[in-house]
Amino acid sequence: MSTVIQETGLYLCPEMAGTFMTPEEFDSVDDCDELYKYELVHGVLVVSPPPSVGERGPNQILGHLLLRYQEEHPQGSALDHTLPESYVRTPDSRRRADRSIWAGLGRTPDERRDTPTIAVEFVSIGKRDRERDYVIKREEYLATGIQEYWIIDRFARRMTAIRQTDVSGGEPAEIVVDENGSYETPLLPGFVLPLARLLSEADRLEQARNADRD
């Protein structure tokens, strides 16, 4: 497949899907068709449509809750930074997490150098997407040193938190929160994530979109 190149270098667009690239080539890109999202998966460019409103809405609420914690909670300085649609770097891939959270550094992180402390994915409806979020990204994210991986599943009405243990060689702990529960992590002391608030936002936006189609 041919590579689309502008005078300034690589330009990412849907026609480039399947192109072989090195991580360095992918990192050098500074222009793309912003109607799509791009990942480098084991050296191959993967092009996907943007997240649905059922993913973007609760992700925005999560960002709001995190920033409010940072600004207002007595222990909010534990949160260094959070970004939506941020890359997680592995030796041969650039995975796009729905949200990255950096905690405990005591400084503003460098997105390209500092591995997120927590990665968050909002599950998509497709079977392959679910396998990617629950199985593939779980393995890849934990291998990078990410300390927690949150999987927020509006279809199953639950959140699964995968937490690295302090035991050398120990299996990660898995905490499942039902739709009426809340999640707390020692990485963000005092932060409480009410899952129902995220799910209700996804429901509200999906209902509005479906009503427009009727």
Side-chain angles (χ1 to χ4, degrees), residues 193-210:
L193 175 57
L195 183 58
R197 184 166 180 186
L198 304 188
L199 297 180
S200 65
E201 179 69 2
D203 294 343
R204 183 180 71 86
L205 294 171
E206 290 285 359
Q207 289 168 6
R209 187 185 67 170
N210 292 335

Side-chain angles (χ1 to χ4, degrees), residues 133-142 149 162 174:
D133 291 337
Y134 274 101
V135 180
I136 299 172
K137 282 192 172 183
R138 170 178 173 155
E139 295 177 356
E140 293 181 350
Y141 285 172
L142 296 183
Y149 173 36
I162 315 300
E174 183 172 304

